[in-house]
């Protein structure tokens, strides 16, 4: 093979392989979402709209297809205002789909302190950064599964966005192809299980974690939810899809017993371990590369409540 032919072959092959996400990229995305200018991303505010547009632009960079209509922005109504979820599709070799989700809204600002912005770096700029990071990871690859990427709005007001988009008739045919939904909720810190580890809410309801761990790379591991008394499985956006009998769990690193930043003004960039988050994103991507529709078919048991 000539040198020119070899270079051409290498260039073409690079179009079909994933690309690792840099710590710099993770830092830029998370820092933007958690910046003071976003004013806590409360649903119904101009800053919340700005956050949705920012996420849509990242989906455009990653060359995702629209989930529905002619925009990544999927509108719904909240208190008489039009607000947005953000949704993109990566077509794979199969119509069978893995969904990656996180909510991008937070709780806004305070009038009572010198630091007025609830930045929500962990809750949940970290989760949205993970979703964007996975879209980055698969930008140049055609994976075995198709992939759906959704940034939910209004979680802090009662999961308004996930309820709205989960019931959207125009997406129903796509939902029927979802094999599993991974909802990322507060993944900025190192978990009680150590680095490169997440826990899964509702692990007692399905075999998703066992199937995932059996193919996980580089020591990445999903542990059972250690905070069962807090009923986390039913308290996040995954439950909107559980009600549709879709395998849907939330994945987190936050210590719910000791975290002092949850819904506090100190949930800012200082709580974020960017090295750990970057490692998790890339190892998630490398693990999802190994999953195929024929070898990854998680199922619920009879313990889950679909109501």
């Amino acid at each position: 093979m000539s040198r020119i032919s070899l270079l051409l072959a290498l260039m073409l092959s690079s179009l079909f392989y994933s690309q690792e996400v840099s710590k710099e990229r993770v830092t830029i995305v998370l820092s933007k979402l958690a910046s003071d200018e976003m004013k806590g991303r409360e649903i119904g505010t101009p800053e919340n709209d700005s956050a949705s547009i920012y996420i849509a632009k990242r989906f455009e960079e990653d060359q995702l297809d629209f989930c529905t209509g002619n925009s990544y922005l999927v509108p719904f109504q909240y208190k008489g205002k039009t607000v947005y979820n953000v949704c993109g599709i990566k077509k794979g070799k199969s119509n069978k789909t893995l969904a990656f989700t996180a909510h991008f809204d937070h709780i806004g600002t305070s009038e009572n302190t010198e630091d007025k912005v609830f930045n929500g770096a962990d809750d949940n700029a970290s989760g949205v950064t993970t979703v964007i990071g996975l879209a980055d990871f698969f930008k140049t690859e055609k994976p075995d599964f198709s992939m759906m990427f959704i940034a939910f709005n209004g979680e802090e007001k009662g999961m308004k966005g996930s309820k709205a988009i989960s019931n959207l008739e125009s997406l129903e045919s796509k939902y029927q192809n979802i094999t599993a939904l991974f909802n990322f909720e507060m993944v900025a810190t190192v978990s009680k299980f150590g680095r490169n580890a997440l826990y899964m809410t509702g692990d007692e309801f399905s075999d998703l974690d066992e199937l995932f761990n059996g193919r996980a790379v580089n020591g990445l591991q999903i542990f059972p939810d250690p905070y069962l008394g807090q009923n986390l499985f039913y308290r996040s956006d995954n439950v909107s899809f559980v009600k549709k009998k879709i395998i849907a769990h939330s994945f987190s690193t936050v210590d719910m017993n000791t975290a002092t930043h949850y819904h506090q003004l100190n949930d800012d960039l200082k709580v974020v371990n960017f090295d750990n988050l970057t490692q998790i994103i890339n190892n998630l991507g490398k693990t999802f590369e190994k999953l195929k529709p024929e070898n990854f078919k998680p199922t619920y048991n009879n313990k889950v409540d679909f109501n």
Side-chain angles (χ1 to χ4, degrees), residues 164-236:
I165 200 168
S166 67
N167 290 312
L168 203 60
E169 189 173 342
S170 61
L171 287 175
E172 191 57 41
S173 61
K174 292 182 173 66
Y175 293 151
Q176 290 175 5
N177 284 322
I178 293 178
T179 295
L181 182 149
F182 295 77
N183 183 58
F184 298 102
E185 177 76 54
M186 301 183 72
V187 289
T189 58
V190 175
S191 81
K192 67 176 292 181
F193 302 105
R195 300 176 65 87
N196 200 29
L198 301 147
Y199 63 85
M200 183 178 97
T201 68
D203 63 279
E204 69 272 29
F205 298 136
S206 86
D207 58 354
L208 186 153
D209 50 346
E210 289 93 342
L211 293 175
F212 181 96
N213 285 338
R215 292 174 173 83
V217 303
N218 298 335
L220 175 67
Q221 190 168 358
I222 293 173
F223 287 86
D225 178 7
Y227 313 106
L228 291 180
Q230 301 197 36
N231 207 29
L232 298 176
F233 180 74
Y234 296 105
R235 287 173 52 191
S236 195

Side-chain angles (χ1 to χ4, degrees), residues 1 6 43 45 52 86 100 118 131 150 156 162 166 174 217 219 228 241 245 251 257 260 276 291:
M1 181 182 289
L6 178 60
I43 187 173
T45 64
S52 66
V86 193
F100 308 121
F118 290 96
V131 172
I150 312 177
E156 302 289 1
S162 61
S166 67
K174 292 182 173 66
V217 303
L228 291 180
F241 291 82
K245 298 188 177 180
F251 299 81
N257 290 333
T260 59
N276 188 59
L291 303 184

Side-chain angles (χ1 to χ4, degrees), residues 149-163:
F149 301 86
I150 312 177
F152 300 126
N153 205 346
E155 190 268 353
E156 302 289 1
K157 303 297 184 182
M159 298 178 282
K160 301 296 186 184
S162 61
K163 289 176 182 177

Side-chain angles (χ1 to χ4, degrees), residues 15 53 67 87 115 141 146 213 217 235 246 251 286 301:
L15 295 176
I53 292 168
C67 289
C87 189
D115 178 6
E141 182 177 355
S146 291
N213 285 338
V217 303
R235 287 173 52 191
I246 293 169
F251 299 81
K286 291 172 185 176
N301 56 38

Side-chain angles (χ1 to χ4, degrees), residues 37-269:
E37 68 183 272
M38 288 293 185
K39 295 184 178 179
R41 308 184 305 278
E42 185 173 9
I43 187 173
T45 64
E47 293 78 19
N48 179 274
D49 291 344
S50 294
S52 66
I53 292 168
Y54 179 79
I55 297 163
K57 287 180 178 177
R58 304 292 77 75
F59 284 4
E60 182 179 24
E61 286 177 352
D62 287 324
Q63 301 172 12
L64 301 182
D65 295 327
F66 302 137
C67 289
T68 183
N70 59 359
S71 175
Y72 300 111
L73 301 175
V74 183
F76 67 101
Q77 294 297 305
Y78 175 75
K79 293 187 175 181
K81 294 182 177 181
T82 300
V83 295
Y84 302 95
N85 292 303
V86 193
C87 189
I89 292 279
K90 174 79 176 183
K91 291 182 179 178
K93 298 173 186 175
S94 167
N95 287 330
K96 293 296 184 181
T97 301
L98 299 179
F100 308 121
T101 69
H103 75 90
F104 70 88
D105 67 299
H106 195 50
I107 59 176
T109 58
S110 170
E111 297 300 326
N112 301 321
T113 62
E114 185 175 333
D115 178 6
K116 296 184 181 301
V117 179
F118 290 96
N119 300 93
D122 195 7
D123 187 13
N124 189 32
S126 66
V128 178
T129 300
T130 301
V131 172
I132 292 172
L134 288 169
D136 291 347
F137 186 93
F138 286 101
K139 179 178 179 178
T140 58
E141 182 177 355
K142 188 166 186 176
D144 288 281
F145 276 101
S146 291
M147 295 178 172
M148 178 178 281
F149 301 86
I150 312 177
F152 300 126
N153 205 346
E155 190 268 353
E156 302 289 1
K157 303 297 184 182
M159 298 178 282
K160 301 296 186 184
S162 61
K163 289 176 182 177
I165 200 168
S166 67
N167 290 312
L168 203 60
E169 189 173 342
S170 61
L171 287 175
E172 191 57 41
S173 61
K174 292 182 173 66
Y175 293 151
Q176 290 175 5
N177 284 322
I178 293 178
T179 295
L181 182 149
F182 295 77
N183 183 58
F184 298 102
E185 177 76 54
M186 301 183 72
V187 289
T189 58
V190 175
S191 81
K192 67 176 292 181
F193 302 105
R195 300 176 65 87
N196 200 29
L198 301 147
Y199 63 85
M200 183 178 97
T201 68
D203 63 279
E204 69 272 29
F205 298 136
S206 86
D207 58 354
L208 186 153
D209 50 346
E210 289 93 342
L211 293 175
F212 181 96
N213 285 338
R215 292 174 173 83
V217 303
N218 298 335
L220 175 67
Q221 190 168 358
I222 293 173
F223 287 86
D225 178 7
Y227 313 106
L228 291 180
Q230 301 197 36
N231 207 29
L232 298 176
F233 180 74
Y234 296 105
R235 287 173 52 191
S236 195
D237 287 307
N238 63 288
V239 75
S240 297
F241 291 82
V242 173
K243 291 179 179 179
K244 299 176 75 66
K245 298 188 177 180
I246 293 169
I247 301 289
H249 295 266
S250 290
F251 299 81
S252 185
T253 63
V254 67
D255 190 327
M256 294 299 292
N257 290 333
T258 64
T260 59
H261 62 278
Y262 177 60
H263 283 188
Q264 300 299 316
L265 289 161
N266 66 335
D267 183 5
D268 55 27
L269 296 182

